[in-house]
Amino acid sequence: MVPLRRAQCGVGRAPRSVVLLAALLVVPLEAPLATPLPSSALGAVSGLLRHVGSDVAATVTAPVKKASSASAGSTAVVVLERLLRWLAPVNDSVTASTLMVDLGYPMETHFVTTKDGYRLRLERAPNPGKQPVFVAHGMQTAAPCFVLLGRGKALAPLLHDAGYDVWMINFRGTHYSQEHIKYSKTDEEYWKFSWHEHGVLDNPAAIDYVLARTHFPSVMYASHSMGSTSFMVMAAMRPEYQRKVSAAFLMAPAGSLHGHRSPVVKLLHAVNNATQPLVEDLGLRRTMRPLYLALRRLLKLLLPVARPLLYAFTFAIVGFKKHETYYELPHFADTIPSGGSWGQIFHYEQNANHDTQGIRQYDHGAERNQELYGMPEPPLYNLSAIRTPIHLYLGKNDVLCSERDMDFLRSQLPNVVSVHVDEDDAFNHMDFIASTAVGGRMNARIVADMQRFSAADAEEES
């Protein structure tokens, strides 16, 4: 098992790291989180920072390029990583498997290597001979998020109780999938990925492995947030996998995010012009890793005193606080957030702030885009080509997946079978996996929909 103490956030960029940490500190920690910041104020700040960013980029980039990338990037990283030895470690033993075993379920651990060399951990709650369900997590989480709510509420136990063979993926860069056949997690090259790679490389490798082990022709796919994005990427870019997924059950499917209300996403976009040239020239993708881990360990050390700060750190990007239930979860601080690549966040940021709505491939800049895509702007994923039956599950208080964006997504996907919006007005982006108050109700609905689909599918075959 990969020790949790070695977790990292990854492809972070040093200037943006400071901006993000500052943003998390200024976001209100308690009740004010229930109300988004005024859009007019955010627009004014974003416009000012974007204008200043352009000037800073033009003035600062040229002389900084002349600096040694090795000395600029490595010293601070080494110092921070050494300081981490003095801080309380997180719990190394918490995995989806250990949590499921504690609940009384049988578990297996499997590993699969992607075509580009990443070694992924798959965690299976076996029901041999039964329909396999492939479960994919969201950004900054991992497989344990589908177990935290416990028996009778969490998705993984509910699926197993319903008779499904449950397979949970841990995407590259999480605590549990940090190995590579060539690179170390301290190498810059290791962190050059976003959710595009989850879709075109991680999901296909894992699904092929599951089908080979179970001898089933297809899986059912259940996912939250970024896991849903990666399904759409896979189905659009690797259409042969549409035959290998009989149906998809997508919770809070993050897409173009044009209607998002997240202040952190807006701030990241505002400083993009100033930071992008520095990051690309100096190679600082892994600089955020020790900063992220340091804050996470400090929060672990200060619990329960720092529970509000832990909440803000975890949820500032994806939602505002409504339900007072997250702190009740065992191992909450050990498993959420679980690391990943800053490329995931900035890929979403690019989509959210593009002039036209849609889900686009990663924007590397006009020159590199021309080399990769044959055009100066990244192309759209062709959602209209996805024929897999899709069930959507949404929350009314989701600041990332807004009603506007979900309507757009439904207009693009040709085979949306059902859409369920939770009746609770406070239901937000993370409540699917982290709210003991409402998450279990939504997960039970998803399992019931799977059972209806399985029954209908069996009736068709007969």
Side-chain angles (χ1 to χ4, degrees):
M1 184 184 75
V2 180
L4 296 183
R5 69 167 59 95
R6 296 179 182 175
Q8 59 271 52
C9 193
V11 86
R13 296 161 174 171
R16 281 179 171 168
S17 305
V18 177
V19 173
L20 177 60
L21 293 175
L24 292 177
L25 292 175
V26 300
V27 171
L29 300 183
E30 290 295 338
L33 280 171
T35 304
L37 296 176
S39 58
S40 59
L42 285 172
V45 172
S46 296
L48 176 62
L49 286 175
R50 195 177 301 114
H51 175 71
V52 173
S54 299
D55 294 340
V56 171
T59 304
V60 176
T61 301
V64 171
K65 284 182 180 179
K66 299 178 182 178
S68 165
S69 60
S71 62
S74 62
T75 304
V77 173
V78 171
V79 171
L80 282 168
E81 289 177 336
R82 287 179 178 174
L83 286 174
L84 291 179
R85 300 174 187 172
W86 298 351
L87 301 176
V90 294
N91 190 337
D92 290 350
S93 64
V94 178
T95 66
S97 292
T98 58
L99 294 177
M100 287 288 282
V101 168
D102 287 345
L103 294 175
Y105 293 91
M107 290 299 295
E108 299 173 0
T109 298
H110 299 257
F111 292 91
V112 61
T113 301
T114 66
K115 285 186 176 180
D116 58 344
Y118 289 82
R119 190 169 183 251
L120 310 179
R121 176 179 177 134
L122 306 179
E123 300 184 71
R124 180 192 190 190
N127 260 319
K130 302 297 184 179
Q131 170 65 50
V133 177
F134 185 85
V135 187
H137 62 84
M139 185 176 69
Q140 305 301 339
T141 62
C145 73
F146 296 110
V147 189
L148 285 177
L149 293 179
R151 184 185 289 271
K153 290 188 175 181
L155 184 60
L158 283 170
L159 287 170
H160 191 273
D161 290 344
Y164 291 108
D165 190 8
V166 185
W167 293 77
M168 293 174 278
I169 189 173
N170 293 281
F171 286 123
R172 62 181 67 189
T174 59
H175 286 328
Y176 316 103
S177 299
Q178 295 186 344
E179 295 182 16
H180 192 279
I181 60 174
K182 180 179 179 182
Y183 302 119
S184 162
K185 60 182 178 293
T186 61
D187 293 332
E188 292 287 324
E189 291 295 325
Y190 178 92
W191 296 103
K192 289 185 178 180
F193 63 84
S194 75
W195 36 263
H196 176 86
E197 284 71 24
H198 298 330
V200 300
L201 294 166
D202 292 2
N203 277 341
I207 288 174
D208 283 342
Y209 181 90
V210 171
L211 296 181
R213 290 295 298 247
T214 62
H215 306 292
F216 269 74
S218 62
V219 301
M220 290 199 293
Y221 189 106
S223 57
H224 176 248
S225 190
M226 185 187 71
S228 300
T229 312
S230 71
F231 165 77
M232 292 185 285
V233 171
M234 177 183 70
M237 299 294 292
R238 305 282 302 272
E240 67 273 21
Y241 282 87
Q242 294 187 37
R243 298 190 300 272
K244 300 181 182 183
V245 177
S246 59
F249 301 80
L250 310 183
M251 296 172 271
S256 66
L257 306 187
H258 263 222
H260 79 86
R261 306 191 308 276
S262 171
V264 175
V265 174
K266 287 182 179 291
L267 286 171
L268 289 175
H269 175 60
V271 300
N272 181 68
N273 288 336
T275 59
Q276 185 74 27
L278 300 181
V279 171
E280 295 301 325
D281 289 325
L282 294 182
L284 301 174
R285 288 182 174 84
R286 64 178 282 258
T287 307
M288 185 61 190
R289 182 181 68 86
L291 293 176
Y292 177 96
L293 184 54
L295 181 55
R296 188 170 184 270
R297 286 193 176 183
L298 282 170
L299 292 171
K300 177 71 174 178
L301 182 67
L302 295 174
L303 282 176
V305 177
R307 288 186 300 178
L309 184 57
L310 175 61
Y311 165 78
F313 180 57
T314 307
F315 295 99
I317 295 176
V318 295
F320 294 98
K321 183 177 180 181
K322 285 287 189 179
H323 295 292
E324 301 287 343
T325 55
Y326 306 113
Y327 307 144
E328 300 172 11
L329 301 178
H331 305 295
F332 178 87
D334 296 316
T335 59
I336 300 179
S338 291
S341 162
W342 275 110
Q344 299 160 345
I345 294 177
F346 295 122
H347 197 171
Y348 279 127
E349 176 264 320
Q350 293 169 2
N351 275 272
N353 295 288
H354 199 276
D355 292 337
T356 56
Q357 196 169 23
I359 307 179
R360 295 181 177 273
Q361 296 190 43
Y362 198 89
D363 189 349
H364 299 271
E367 184 176 345
R368 182 60 174 157
N369 288 343
Q370 190 67 46
E371 295 176 8
L372 292 175
Y373 310 130
M375 59 182 71
E377 287 197 346
L380 289 163
Y381 296 104
N382 185 12
L383 302 182
S384 65
I386 301 175
R387 303 298 172 181
T388 305
I390 292 176
H391 302 254
L392 299 178
Y393 304 90
L394 313 173
K396 293 181 181 178
N397 188 45
D398 192 330
V399 300
L400 282 184
C401 300
S402 68
E403 183 178 359
R404 169 191 169 191
D405 288 326
M406 294 304 99
D407 287 343
F408 173 80
L409 193 60
R410 291 166 64 180
S411 73
Q412 299 298 300
L413 295 169
N415 198 7
V416 175
V417 178
S418 69
V419 180
H420 177 68
V421 182
D422 193 85
E423 59 268 26
D424 191 329
D425 290 336
F427 199 101
N428 66 47
H429 194 77
M430 296 300 291
D431 283 341
F432 292 92
I433 61 173
S435 173
T436 56
V438 294
R441 181 178 69 229
M442 178 66 85
N443 288 328
R445 170 62 182 255
I446 294 169
V447 174
D449 286 347
M450 286 186 179
Q451 291 174 314
R452 281 190 288 271
F453 176 84
S454 297
D457 195 41
E459 187 175 335
E460 268 187 31
E461 290 183 359
S462 62

